[in-house]
Amino acid sequence: VCGFQHFQRAGVEHVNLFASLYFVVVTFSTVGYGDYKPDNWPSQLFMVVMICVALIVLPTQFEQLAYTWMERQKLGFAYSRHRAQSERHVVVCSTTLRSDTVMDFLNEFYAHPLLQDYYVVLLSPCELDATMKMILQIPMWAQRVIYIQGSALKDLDLARARKRSLHPDPTLYVHNQPIPVVSKARFLGVIFDSKLTFLPHILDLRKRCEKALNILKVLSNTSWGADRTSLLRVYQAVILSRIDYGSVVYGSARASALRKLDPVHHSALRICTGAFRTSPVQSLYADCSQICLDFRRKQLSANYYFKIMSMPNHPLRSTFLNSCINRLYNARPFNVRPFMDRTKLFLEESALISLDVKQSTFFSFPPWSVPSINYIDPFSLFHKASTAPVVFYQVFNLHRSLYSQYVPVFTDGSKSTNYVGCSVAFPDSVSAYRLNAALSIYTAEATAISCALQRISSENTRQFCIYTDSMSVLQSLQQTESSNNPVICDILLQMEDLRSTGFDILFFWVPSHTGIKGNELADSAAKSALVPLNSAVPLSDVTCFIRKHINKMWQQLWDLQEQNKLHSLKPFLGRWPGVPVRRKDVILTRLRIGHTRFTHKHLLFAEPAPICTPCQAPYSVLHILIECPLFTFQRQSFLMQHFSHLKT
């Protein structure tokens, strides 16, 4: 329109904007009255070009409009706002639409006389087949049933079905005062929003953690700053503890929302190590021996899951989804599951769901009858590191001569990779049991004592001496007020029952691998046990086992980082000894990671990488320290005999 008006200014007949619009409409509609026409060659050329373009564009636009109309009919129309306000309707949500099921529902629904004025909105993600289309075209249902293709789990589809206004916010009263409805509320330090997305809590947590990062920035001065170990401890105490708190609750947020906390974690690790800003985050994790926040949330969730399972009366023990809702979550993996099902799925993928956690019992005795053991240490005057084994052997023989009327019972536990066992050696027999691989050596030693007491309860003799080489178990049996291991509690309960029936049981510590026959016999039997013993795992051992499994997952992820510069220096994850001088530690960290200001500053300023002129290769830490012949003299002067070791 504007083009025709502009070109006509050079012609005989000038036209205004309305006349130009009139001419374009008449021309494109192929009517052509002739009252207006282009009278110069620029106007005539412009109209020829426009008509050719219109012949190409307009059919495409009409085709697109027709396609959009067909797709809208295919998806079903939206239930209009006017009808939602003036008519009563019910929304039927279903994953599949079977003709027989829909017919049965409609016949039973409209059979009630009070439901004749209601409309039915079918909301389903599947498309209508030929049978369903025929049903919806029946005159009886055509004016009453409306089909909308969508999902009940999407707010947009529910808005199309006008379902939001059906459930207004309830009004609750406390002492005749209405409780106001708010969009978010803080409870025990966690912000709950109306849709439980936990995005406000994550944003608030990130803001508070970013402020706390200033503490690390002050303490990490290059000249006089604290060492890495101290900075990491400050970070764990001040910032990481805030992130961990409530992670079991807000862990149900979207992955995109949870990733908003990762920059805080990465910034803190860069400050603690002094790494350059372009350093890869995987290198920061490996250099600081800190797992990522995702692994940390999984570890804390798994710990809390097994803590729940260890409590017999915990209300969350039975809060798992039923099969129908579970199928919905399987069909829509983008939806976040509840805590118990989400953690259970992770444990099933990690093969940890088979762990049978030991039930924690409320261990209580009146103050006047606290259970205790009779513990005697005949080797208290001897230090194992500075005493010959023959001395221990002689002291033990003297001890046995004093307690010859007591039956000796030796217990021992053994733990290796994927193997845990315990054994009990009586004078006439030796019993060995294979335990759960998640048990610690401490629990294996305690289980051996428990098995010995169980065997003693069926003996006719009333006097026994139990020998064990685990000083930590004996100390736990003496300090009953600080012991929370359920196996220790079981031992004390067993001792109380045996003492009430007239048994006299003494406990002794014996040094291991000193030639004492009974201890050596129990040790060899514990290492080769084959008979399985169904023993539950204490919660403390489950926590350690989960931590080791998370570290194993981290190691598998680190093994894939073959192009990482630090991976060649540190293929196995673990703690490196820190350098007490901050400046030297920062230099060593940047050399290990391979990102320094000289080699990687160009990434921050969008500049080309620096090139070594003699070698025509980009500068890198490896190139400068080992490969480049330009620095041979400096290399020999400063590194000297360490150069050959540096190459490897």
Side-chain angles (χ1 to χ4, degrees):
V1 173
C2 295
F4 176 72
Q5 181 189 14
H6 177 72
F7 286 115
Q8 275 299 115
R9 292 176 181 176
V12 177
E13 184 179 3
H14 294 190
V15 295
N16 55 20
L17 185 62
F18 178 76
S20 177
L21 175 62
Y22 168 75
F23 169 76
V24 171
V25 172
V26 170
T27 302
F28 283 0
S29 62
T30 68
V31 177
Y33 291 111
D35 48 354
Y36 290 98
K37 61 181 183 299
D39 56 3
N40 56 9
W41 71 267
S43 297
Q44 296 170 353
L45 178 62
F46 175 74
M47 291 307 302
V48 170
V49 173
M50 290 302 299
I51 291 174
C52 294
V53 171
L55 291 176
I56 300 174
V57 173
L58 289 180
T60 306
Q61 295 296 323
F62 285 131
E63 181 182 2
Q64 192 70 25
L65 288 174
Y67 176 77
T68 304
W69 178 262
M70 293 175 61
E71 285 296 318
R72 181 171 174 81
Q73 283 192 333
K74 179 181 177 181
L75 296 176
F77 294 95
Y79 194 72
S80 66
R81 188 179 304 274
H82 174 71
R83 295 186 62 180
Q85 294 175 354
S86 59
E87 300 172 350
R88 293 179 294 180
H89 72 288
V90 60
V91 180
V92 180
C93 304
S94 175
T95 55
T96 58
L97 290 177
R98 296 177 55 184
S99 57
D100 53 349
T101 306
V102 174
M103 286 294 297
D104 293 340
F105 169 76
L106 294 176
N107 290 326
E108 294 181 8
F109 181 80
Y110 284 109
H112 198 283
L114 298 179
L115 300 178
Q116 297 297 321
D117 297 334
Y118 277 80
Y119 289 82
V120 174
V121 178
L122 299 178
L123 182 63
S124 176
C126 64
E127 298 181 4
L128 294 179
D129 55 6
T131 307
M132 281 299 305
K133 291 180 179 178
M134 292 178 60
I135 293 175
L136 297 182
Q137 292 176 359
I138 297 176
M140 184 185 300
W141 313 125
Q143 302 298 329
R144 294 182 174 184
V145 182
I146 300 174
Y147 163 71
I148 298 177
Q149 185 175 9
S151 174
L153 301 178
K154 295 182 179 180
D155 294 340
L156 182 61
D157 294 337
L158 289 176
R160 292 170 57 207
R162 296 295 182 264
K163 187 175 173 58
R164 285 192 173 185
S165 59
L166 299 179
H167 302 285
D169 294 327
T171 303
L172 304 179
Y173 295 89
V174 174
H175 299 295
N176 296 327
Q177 295 295 328
I179 302 176
V181 178
V182 296
S183 59
K184 58 183 179 180
R186 184 186 295 271
F187 179 72
L188 296 178
V190 179
I191 300 176
F192 293 84
D193 57 295
S194 58
K195 295 185 178 180
L196 292 181
T197 61
F198 294 102
L199 183 60
H201 174 74
I202 293 174
L203 296 178
D204 178 73
L205 178 61
R206 176 176 174 174
K207 183 178 180 180
R208 289 187 287 118
C209 290
E210 287 175 347
K211 290 182 179 179
L213 283 177
N214 295 326
I215 301 176
L216 294 179
K217 293 178 182 178
V218 173
L219 297 176
S220 62
N221 188 282
T222 307
S223 302
W224 51 266
D227 60 295
R228 178 193 305 192
T229 304
S230 301
L231 291 174
L232 286 175
R233 288 176 180 174
V234 172
Y235 166 61
Q236 293 172 357
V238 178
I239 301 176
L240 193 57
S241 60
R242 294 183 179 181
I243 298 177
D244 290 344
Y245 177 77
S247 61
V248 175
V249 178
Y250 72 81
S252 60
R254 297 283 183 180
S256 58
L258 293 174
R259 282 195 293 268
K260 295 182 182 297
L261 297 174
D262 290 343
V264 177
H265 189 50
H266 301 159
S267 299
L269 296 183
R270 286 192 179 94
I271 294 173
C272 294
T273 59
F276 196 60
R277 282 180 289 177
T278 60
S279 302
V281 293
Q282 295 296 336
S283 299
L284 295 176
Y285 297 153
D287 191 60
C288 297
S289 190
Q290 292 284 334
I291 58 178
C292 62
L293 293 183
D294 183 41
F295 281 175
R296 193 172 186 88
R297 283 189 293 267
K298 290 180 179 179
Q299 179 180 344
L300 294 175
S301 299
N303 292 342
Y304 189 64
Y305 175 89
F306 281 108
K307 184 177 181 179
I308 292 173
M309 302 306 292
S310 67
M311 300 179 182
N313 299 323
H314 200 285
L316 291 181
R317 280 178 58 91
S318 58
T319 56
F320 292 98
L321 298 177
N322 55 38
S323 58
C324 297
I325 301 180
N326 201 21
R327 283 197 298 268
L328 290 177
Y329 276 104
N330 292 333
R332 298 167 179 84
F334 53 86
N335 289 325
V336 183
R337 297 170 180 262
F339 168 75
M340 294 296 289
D341 293 87
R342 183 177 71 250
T343 309
K344 183 180 179 181
L345 184 62
F346 163 70
L347 295 175
E348 289 176 350
E349 295 174 353
S350 305
L352 297 176
I353 196 65
S354 59
L355 286 178
D356 182 18
V357 62
K358 193 173 182 63
Q359 301 293 316
S360 60
T361 56
F362 185 70
F363 178 70
S364 64
F365 285 89
W368 54 88
S369 64
V370 176
S372 60
I373 63 171
N374 296 324
Y375 170 61
I376 302 174
D377 186 6
F379 307 98
S380 58
L381 301 178
F382 303 93
H383 194 269
K384 185 177 180 180
S386 59
T387 305
V390 64
V391 177
F392 286 114
Y393 183 75
Q394 294 175 356
V395 173
F396 178 76
N397 289 335
L398 177 62
H399 159 74
R400 282 303 305 156
S401 64
L402 298 177
Y403 295 90
S404 58
Q405 70 275 18
Y406 286 80
V407 178
V409 180
F410 293 88
T411 64
D412 197 12
S414 177
K415 182 177 177 63
S416 59
T417 305
N418 297 327
Y419 173 82
V420 177
C422 69
S423 64
V424 180
F426 280 78
D428 56 347
S429 63
V430 178
S431 302
Y433 306 99
R434 183 162 186 169
L435 306 177
N436 195 307
L439 290 175
S440 62
I441 183 62
Y442 171 84
T443 306
E445 296 278 3
T447 304
I449 296 178
S450 179
C451 293
L453 294 176
Q454 187 176 359
R455 167 74 183 277
I456 289 173
S457 62
S458 61
E459 296 289 334
N460 295 325
T461 309
R462 288 295 186 265
Q463 293 180 325
F464 290 89
C465 289
I466 296 180
Y467 298 94
T468 178
D469 56 5
S470 176
M471 181 64 74
S472 58
V473 174
L474 293 175
Q475 292 176 350
S476 298
L477 291 173
Q478 287 181 294
Q479 302 171 359
T480 56
E481 65 279 356
S482 61
S483 177
N484 56 1
N485 192 295
V487 182
I488 298 297
C489 297
D490 292 343
I491 293 175
L492 294 175
L493 292 174
Q494 288 177 296
M495 283 294 301
E496 193 69 14
D497 294 339
L498 292 175
R499 189 179 290 111
S500 63
T501 55
F503 281 90
D504 183 14
I505 302 174
L506 304 178
F507 286 84
F508 297 91
W509 175 80
V510 292
S512 59
H513 308 296
T514 55
I516 299 176
K517 184 177 179 181
N519 181 259
E520 297 294 336
L521 184 63
D523 180 69
S524 60
K527 293 179 179 179
S528 58
L530 297 177
V531 179
L533 180 65
N534 294 328
S535 58
V537 185
L539 182 61
S540 57
D541 293 349
V542 172
T543 302
C544 296
F545 191 74
I546 291 174
R547 183 177 66 252
K548 293 179 181 178
H549 181 76
I550 293 294
N551 290 335
K552 183 179 178 181
M553 294 173 55
W554 182 25
Q555 180 65 53
Q556 294 174 354
L557 182 63
W558 179 245
D559 291 339
L560 301 177
Q561 305 291 325
E562 297 180 354
Q563 302 299 325
N564 192 293
K565 298 180 177 63
L566 184 61
H567 184 270
S568 58
L569 298 177
K570 191 178 183 181
F572 302 103
L573 297 170
R575 292 188 179 274
W576 270 346
V579 180
V581 181
R582 171 68 178 176
R583 183 176 181 84
K584 294 182 179 179
D585 186 39
V586 171
I587 295 174
L588 184 59
T589 298
R590 295 189 178 188
L591 291 177
R592 285 171 173 171
I593 296 179
H595 283 241
T596 63
R597 184 179 299 275
F598 174 71
T599 58
H600 289 80
K601 182 180 66 174
H602 64 279
L603 297 177
L604 300 177
F605 299 98
E607 298 175 350
I611 302 296
C612 178
T613 305
C615 304
Q616 290 299 313
Y619 276 116
S620 65
V621 174
L622 178 66
H623 182 76
I624 296 174
L625 292 182
I626 296 178
E627 299 173 351
C628 184
L630 188 63
F631 301 100
T632 303
F633 176 75
Q634 291 84 353
R635 199 178 294 122
Q636 294 176 353
S637 301
F638 293 102
L639 301 178
M640 294 182 292
Q641 69 272 16
H642 300 289
F643 177 64
S644 58
H645 177 69
L646 186 64
K647 288 184 176 180
T648 59

